[in-house]
Amino acid sequence: QVQLVESGGGLVQAGGSLRLSCAPSGRAFSTNIMGWFRQAPGKEREFVAAIMWIARSTYYADSVKGRFTISRDNAKNAVALQMNTLKPEDTAVYYCAASTRLSPSRASTYEYWGQGTQVTVSS
């Protein structure tokens, strides 16, 4: 069974930075896309960023463009999300996900999900 394990969440003041990391554990698996989604209290889960595993093309939600950077860590077979200039509205549980399909921003196409890591940005 494949598990995705996130790390790096926490509490930060507005304007600060955090780096999230996600690595698979368990059996080996292939993926086309790895992405990050987030869910704030009372809101639906929303797309944040994604990276094509081979081509390394990246995709971002408009709300995080220019502030967040998704990258692939070859050595660890992991994906990272560098979050800069954080805002209180970025507060949410952040989920790592992997997909064998080719639809970066659609949560329903992702087959594997992590448990989530809390990011809290204070004003």
Side-chain angles (χ1 to χ4, degrees), residues 18-80:
L18 281 174
R19 183 178 178 88
L20 305 182
S21 184
C22 170
S25 66
R27 65 174 176 84
F29 78 114
S30 62
T31 182
N32 281 332
I33 302 172
M34 290 196 74
W36 289 93
F37 291 77
R38 67 186 182 187
Q39 188 166 18
K43 295 187 177 181
E44 293 187 353
R45 190 170 298 188
E46 65 174 2
F47 169 73
V48 176
I51 184 167
M52 301 293 285
W53 203 242
I54 302 299
R56 304 197 186 196
S57 304
T58 56
Y59 307 84
Y60 296 94
D62 288 342
S63 59
V64 306
K65 279 182 182 177
R67 300 188 298 123
F68 291 11
T69 302
I70 189 170
S71 61
R72 174 182 167 180
D73 184 334
N74 287 339
K76 298 179 181 179
N77 201 30
V79 63

Side-chain angles (χ1 to χ4, degrees), residues 4-6 21-24 34-37 45 79 94-98 110 112-117:
L4 300 177
V5 181
E6 303 106 332
S21 184
C22 170
M34 290 196 74
W36 289 93
F37 291 77
R45 190 170 298 188
V79 63
Y94 283 70
Y95 297 90
C96 173
Y110 284 73
Y112 306 103
W113 290 84
Q115 293 298 310
T117 184

Side-chain angles (χ1 to χ4, degrees), residues 63-107:
S63 59
V64 306
K65 279 182 182 177
R67 300 188 298 123
F68 291 11
T69 302
I70 189 170
S71 61
R72 174 182 167 180
D73 184 334
N74 287 339
K76 298 179 181 179
N77 201 30
V79 63
L81 184 69
Q82 178 66 42
M83 305 185 294
N84 298 328
T85 320
L86 282 160
K87 305 175 181 180
E89 51 264 42
D90 293 319
T91 295
V93 176
Y94 283 70
Y95 297 90
C96 173
S99 173
T100 59
R101 301 182 186 181
L102 295 173
S103 186
S105 64
R106 293 180 62 185

